[in-house]
Amino acid sequence: MEKDWSIDLEHGDYQHNRALVIEDGLMAIEETVSGCYVNLVTPASFGNPVHYFAEAISRKYDSDVTYKFIDQCGCGGYVLRVWKK
């Protein structure tokens, strides 16, 4: 994406499949252009995404991205914002 955007990783198959959330979240980061961010909206059932997503992001992107936990959505999910440098 050539702009800031969000991806919904909290409904359907994502609700019970943490590996799929991580896999598709990493693909979303890949699709994000430098200078932009993607909001990864993750299922409430997995809790704060920093606890299970940070290691995968760091392993794949090292210092090419920064991320920040934003908040829990009104819908129950969580938002992790990832900026691509």
Side-chain angles (χ1 to χ4, degrees):
M1 284 286 187
E2 295 186 20
K3 61 180 181 176
D4 299 331
W5 66 296
S6 298
I7 185 168
D8 179 359
L9 302 169
E10 70 175 316
H11 300 295
D13 292 339
Y14 297 115
Q15 291 178 3
H16 307 288
N17 190 338
R18 185 180 290 178
L20 182 60
V21 170
I22 293 170
E23 178 183 340
D24 286 358
L26 293 174
M27 283 194 325
I29 296 167
E30 190 68 32
E31 294 172 9
T32 304
V33 300
S34 295
C36 293
Y37 67 78
V38 58
N39 288 322
L40 305 174
V41 184
T42 61
S45 59
F46 298 149
N48 185 328
V50 170
H51 299 299
Y52 62 90
F53 229 132
E55 184 179 335
I57 292 170
S58 295
R59 193 172 38 242
K60 182 163 183 168
Y61 295 102
D62 193 32
S63 62
D64 294 335
V65 302
T66 57
Y67 57 85
K68 178 182 177 185
F69 173 69
I70 300 300
D71 206 350
Q72 187 169 13
C73 303
C75 60
Y78 292 89
V79 178
L80 183 66
R81 182 170 291 167
V82 182
W83 287 270
K84 197 141 178 208
K85 296 180 183 178

